Amino acid sequence: MRPLFGFLSGLVFGVGLVVSGMSNPAKVLNFLDIAGTWDPSLAFVMAGAALTTYAGYRLAWRRSAPLLHVDFQLPTARQIDAPLLTGAAIFGVGWGLGGFCPGPAWTALPLLAPGTLVFLPAMLIGLWLGSHLRGAGFPTLKGATR
């Protein structure tokens, strides 16, 4: 049952990205272009997502456990450290250059746009390379967990 609900959640998320236009990297890049052809629509999408998340968490915390699992699995790390900031910076630079983050890149794949066909394989190679470097004992930043 969990895989079905996971698939349906991802499907709703993907449809939301397509309907809102966030699978179009030009829309994201126009949001970042404050001095040029600024498009505020991404801010409205983010605000809608924040409000939905807020309401969802208020409802979820009223339950003693999730519907499809034994307990809530929450992250335990609370510190803002070098690995977190480095990862955020790499993500932000990639998002600003390509106009994609992972979710919208997958939803844009059926369009077969050249940018998507470059970004998605590069993202997958980066994920694979990062996991293999960590597994091989490659030095990590101080405070990083394996």
Side-chain angles (χ1 to χ4, degrees), residues 38-96:
W38 187 63
D39 179 0
S41 60
L42 177 60
F44 292 112
V45 171
M46 288 178 168
L51 289 172
T52 303
T53 301
Y54 179 80
Y57 270 102
R58 299 289 75 73
L59 292 171
W61 294 143
R62 291 182 180 174
R63 302 186 53 82
S64 60
L67 290 174
L68 300 173
H69 205 275
V70 178
D71 59 353
F72 290 107
Q73 297 183 358
L74 302 172
T76 57
R78 299 266 185 228
Q79 70 275 13
I80 297 174
D81 55 6
L84 175 66
L85 294 175
T86 302
I90 291 170
F91 177 88
V93 169
W95 188 52

Side-chain angles (χ1 to χ4, degrees), residues 8 22 24 32 43-44 86 90 103 108 110 115-117 130 134:
L8 292 175
M22 294 302 115
N24 178 1
L32 298 173
F44 292 112
T86 302
I90 291 170
T116 309
L117 296 176
R134 278 193 156 185

